[in-house]
Structure formats: structure tokens, C-alpha cells
Amino acid sequence: MRRRDFLRLTALACAGAATRAHSSTAPARPKARVVIVGGGFGGSTCALATRRLDPRIDVTLIDANYRYVTCPMSNEALVGLRTMASLSVDRAELVRAGVRFVRDRVVAVDADRRRVRTESGAAIEYDRLVVAPGIRFLWGTPQGYDESASAIMPHAWNAGAQTELLAMQLRAMRDGGIVAISVPAGLIRCPPGPYERASLIAGFIKQHKPRSKVLIFDANNHFPRQDVFTAAWKAHYGDTVEWISVLDGGAVLRVDVAQKILHTSNGGQPVAVANIIPPQAPGELAVAAGLATGHGWCPIDPATFESQLVAGIHVIGDACIADAMPKSASAACSQAVQCAAAIVATLSGRTASAPVYESVCYSMLAPDDALAIRGRFEIAGRAIRAISAPADETSQARTSSAREEVAHARAWYRDIRKTAFGA
Ligand code: FAD
């Protein structure tokens, strides 16, 4: 599926649902209130899509921050291929579209009274609530890796200050130093992200610190498009990148932050720069609101994203269990559009039509080479499963030239920012 098709499908989903919503002959009623907590890719897209589908709905978006720094393309910023400022968006376009933006943190949800409470003490009532809080980190894995350790060994798995810290450490590293990336087991946001990061750091090393190396310590025994990444590393960087699978003792068990040593079952490895990506679970609010299972993530109805655990609340983006869909910005946007259509339909006493979801993740392999991992997904029973055909649309083969794929990646980034933030 091409980038333009993704946007067309998104637009069609909005247009179709909007037609259905406005053709309603229902008598005038009080304005329905949709409250969305979390203004990342999922929440912001849902806010814009809901307003576009039915401008009569009162849409409130609550986020702790007025500015949002995108994780997509943050690996480029790490190695100086783009500025941090270029990753930053604000809420101005959302407000212009009629979304009420509240800068605050939601600390509690009262599902019986249908209202949320914020850190500043406000109580905000809703008819439908969307929770899109992204992820939280499970500190303590590896042993010794807590939030304070991330000030020395950055994770950079939320973009912003952590990205800047890791970038600064890479610039300051002596030539010959080892950069280690520790990848956790289990579900993480952006599954190809660690390997894109390794690629771009290797590119930086090739140019500025040619005697250095990148070691990927992996708690897994395979990773997405391992074939393409491995071939690209060899072609672009020779032996600079070394991947150590869990089967070869790749899982980091303990970190010695003061000495900068990573301990695995093979012993201790001193490093110059340690990028430790911790295991992940949904944002705190999902847990506080009773939306997450004991296993961690939030079960939802795959057609509406309404929680299976709490009625009237929808969970989208990284926090939800979307089965075959990866935890990516494009998946979050695709879910958000459907969630908005389902809410608008429900508020008008109708049912939204069955969706096809999409995701595309671009990984930069080098400044002039990129890989796209695309997927289309459909609902099968209570699950979301990958659609395997037709081959030309869903093929994982690299059908475009390296330079074309880089251009697609840049255009995708511009487009998805527009879809989510209007800017
Ligand atoms: P987020 O974008 O994390 O947004 C969550 C928002 O909720 C935040 O703004 C936060 O402030 C807010 N929030 C949380 N709790 C509260 C609360 N209690 N009250 C108020 N606000 C709250 N995806 C791609 O598709 N393509 C890529 O190329 C890509 N590259 C990536 C590269 C890296 C290095 C990383 C780490 C990720 C990448 N991703 C990529 C993944 C993508 O960033 C995430 O999947 C996406 O951001 C998920 O969107 P979300 O809305 O679920 O969560």
C-alpha cells in the first residue's frame, strides 16, 4: 500500500462517516462531549477526525504538554541529520479546527459519573472518553536501570530531552568507543526502531569515529526485516554493527551505571555510550482507570476500540491490544480514525462500517537508504489480523529504489503530522 493510498483511505473513512452522521434526522439534542486524554499521534488524530466527522460534537483534548516531540524521525535527530526543532509540533491547528485543548494531566477517571479529574483539580465530564496515553517504562529491567540511571544511560524511547542527551553522548564519545543498544523482550513501540537507530549511529560512526562499533544486545532471537537490516549493515558499514541475539547471551541482565558496564550471561562489557531501551507497558492512566489487564496492555473491541473492561471508554494507540498491528504512529492514526467514526456513529445511534487498518513504518538504513514495512489489517472475529494479499500492495519486498524510499519516508512524515496535528 502506497502512502497516498493510506491518506485516501483515511479521508474516505472520514467522508463516509461524516455523510452518515450529517444525514441524521435526529432532533436537536445537547452537544455530545468527547474527551480525549493524550495528544500524541493517536489522541490528536482522533480529536481532528471527530471534529471533521461531526462539528456539532464538543471535543476536548487533554495533554500534559502544549508541544509534542515526535518519535518518528527522532533517530535522524540523534545523529544530526535533522534538528530537534523539526520534530516539534504544537496544538494551534487543532484549536483552529475547533478542538478545546486543555494543558493538564489526567490523574483519575470516574467511569460511573463519566468524568475525569486532572492534576490541577478540574473535573471534566464526557459522554465518550478516549484514552491514548502511549507507554510507560518498566524500570528495574535490566537490574539497576531506573529513571535516574536513564540520565547516564539514556533510553531515548520518548523523544525530547532523552534524544538530546544520547545525541550529545555520541558527539562526545572518543573514536574507538563502543556504543551499546539494549533491546528488551516483549512488545515495544516501533519494533524496527532499535535497528534503525543502530543503522544511523553506524552511519555517524563511519563519518566521525571510524574506529568505533555498535553492539546490539538483544533479548530477542529475531527482529523485523532482519534480512534487509543485516544486508544493509554489511553493505553500508562493513563490520561496524554487531547483533547479539538472546541465544548468544544478548540479553542485558544488569547495568553498572557508575562504571558504564553492561552485564550479560557472557560477562561484563564496558561501553562508551549505553542506550538502554526498557520493557514497556501502557501509560499509567490506563492502569489507574482499570483499562489494562494483569498482563499489561488494554483489551479493546477491534471495530470501535471501546475497552473490553470499562464501558464508554475507548483506548487507542500504543496502549491498546491491537493484535497483529504494530505499536506505531501510523497504526495509532488508523485506529484513531476508526475510533472517531465509531464514536460519531454510536452518538447518533448507528454502527460504523467495518474498517481496514493500515500501518507503515519507515526505517532509515543510511542517509540515502530506507526500508518500508507495510501492513494492512482486518477484523476476524474478536481479533485484528494481517491481510496477506495482494502481494503488490502488502509486499515486504523492497520494490522501490533506496532513494525513492527515502523520499517516501520524508513525505510520509510530513503527511502523518498533517493527519495528526494538522501541521
Ligand atoms: P504517544 O505518541 O506517546 O502520545 C501519548 C500522549 O499522551 C503524550 O503526549 C503524553 O504527554 C500524553 N499523556 C500520557 N498520559 C497522560 C495523562 N495522564 N494526562 C494527559 N496526557 C497524558 N512509528 C511510526 O509509525 N513510524 C516511525 O517511523 C516511528 N519511529 C519511531 C522511532 C522511535 C525511536 C520510537 C521510540 C518510536 C517510533 N514510532 C514510529 C512509534 C510511535 O512514536 C508511537 O507508536 C506513537 O507515538 C504512539 O502514539 P500514541 O498516541 O499511542 O502515544
Side-chain angles (χ1 to χ4, degrees):
M1 182 195 53
R2 295 277 152 228
R3 184 179 58 83
R4 260 179 245 99
D5 296 336
F6 169 76
L7 294 171
R8 185 176 48 78
L9 286 169
T10 305
L12 283 176
C14 283
T19 308
R20 289 191 295 281
H22 288 302
S23 66
S24 168
T25 52
R29 54 182 165 76
K31 272 189 158 188
R33 297 154 306 177
V34 173
V35 171
I36 300 167
V37 184
F41 279 99
S44 297
T45 301
C46 193
L48 270 184
T50 306
R51 283 292 301 171
R52 282 176 187 156
L53 291 173
D54 189 345
R56 295 168 301 179
I57 295 178
D58 246 358
V59 177
T60 301
L61 177 67
I62 309 172
D63 196 290
N65 302 301
Y66 181 69
R67 296 203 79 86
Y68 175 83
V69 184
T70 71
C71 283
M73 300 296 168
S74 64
N75 283 333
E76 284 201 327
L78 265 187
V79 296
L81 293 179
R82 65 164 62 229
T83 62
M84 284 301 294
S86 75
L87 302 175
S88 177
V89 290
D90 66 23
R91 317 296 181 173
E93 291 305 320
L94 285 151
V95 171
R96 214 161 283 149
V99 174
R100 185 164 79 100
F101 179 73
V102 175
R103 183 178 168 182
D104 209 338
R105 179 174 293 282
V106 172
V107 290
V109 175
D110 184 338
D112 294 332
R113 294 196 173 119
R114 298 208 168 209
R115 67 183 181 205
V116 301
R117 193 162 48 78
T118 69
E119 205 165 52
S120 70
I124 301 175
E125 299 190 333
Y126 64 83
D127 296 303
R128 285 272 149 181
L129 178 66
V130 180
V131 173
I135 55 162
R136 75 182 192 282
F137 298 116
L138 299 176
W139 302 115
T141 303
Q143 193 188 336
Y145 192 70
D146 56 16
E147 196 163 2
S148 63
S150 72
I152 314 262
M153 296 180 165
H155 52 76
W157 219 240
N158 273 335
Q162 280 277 307
T163 318
E164 285 174 309
L165 178 61
L166 184 54
M168 192 263 290
Q169 292 185 354
L170 289 170
R171 284 195 304 272
M173 178 179 75
R174 67 174 171 81
D175 188 9
I178 287 176
V179 181
I181 300 175
S182 165
V183 187
L187 291 176
I188 61 168
R189 66 166 29 161
C190 197
Y195 314 98
E196 174 192 62
R197 180 170 289 176
S199 309
L200 289 176
I201 292 177
F204 171 83
I205 280 173
K206 184 176 173 181
Q207 204 183 347
H208 302 288
K209 328 249 172 179
R211 292 186 297 124
S212 288
K213 276 195 78 141
V214 181
L215 301 185
I216 306 171
F217 289 94
D218 208 325
N220 304 282
N221 64 6
H222 64 88
F223 60 89
R225 295 321 313 267
Q226 189 167 341
D227 53 342
V228 176
F229 275 107
T230 309
W233 291 337
K234 198 82 200 154
H236 292 300
Y237 313 119
D239 294 328
T240 300
V241 181
E242 187 182 336
W243 176 69
I244 308 160
S245 137
V246 66
L247 302 176
D248 297 320
V252 176
L253 306 174
R254 182 166 67 84
V255 294
D256 181 335
V257 179
Q259 300 298 320
K260 280 215 174 160
I261 298 175
L262 308 188
H263 291 275
T264 70
S265 57
N266 291 330
Q269 170 69 58
V271 299
V273 175
N275 168 216
I276 310 291
I277 303 167
Q280 293 149 39
E284 302 283 359
L285 183 68
V287 181
L291 299 165
T293 65
H295 299 297
W297 304 92
C298 302
I300 43 87
D301 177 315
T304 63
F305 290 88
E306 184 166 2
S307 166
Q308 288 183 17
L309 304 179
V310 188
I313 305 183
H314 302 249
V315 187
I316 55 173
D318 286 354
C320 77
I321 299 173
D323 306 310
M325 293 185 88
K327 296 192 183 301
S328 70
S330 57
C333 291
S334 186
Q335 295 162 8
V337 169
Q338 175 64 15
C339 179
I343 287 175
V344 169
T346 302
L347 291 172
S348 314
R350 284 188 296 275
T351 309
S353 45
V356 170
Y357 299 117
E358 290 113 20
S359 168
V360 54
C361 280
Y362 285 94
S363 294
M364 302 299 294
L365 302 167
D368 57 358
D369 193 4
L371 162 71
I373 303 179
R374 302 185 174 87
R376 299 184 74 201
F377 308 86
E378 65 185 359
I379 297 175
R382 298 280 284 166
I384 301 174
R385 72 168 177 211
I387 301 172
S388 50
D392 63 327
E393 286 199 344
T394 58
S395 171
Q396 302 294 313
R398 303 185 70 198
T399 47
S400 307
S401 75
R403 274 179 199 285
E404 277 173 350
E405 216 63 300
V406 171
H408 290 159
R410 300 257 150 78
W412 168 84
Y413 180 62
R414 279 195 303 275
D415 290 343
I416 200 164
R417 283 174 55 133
K418 195 98 189 139
T419 302
F421 307 100

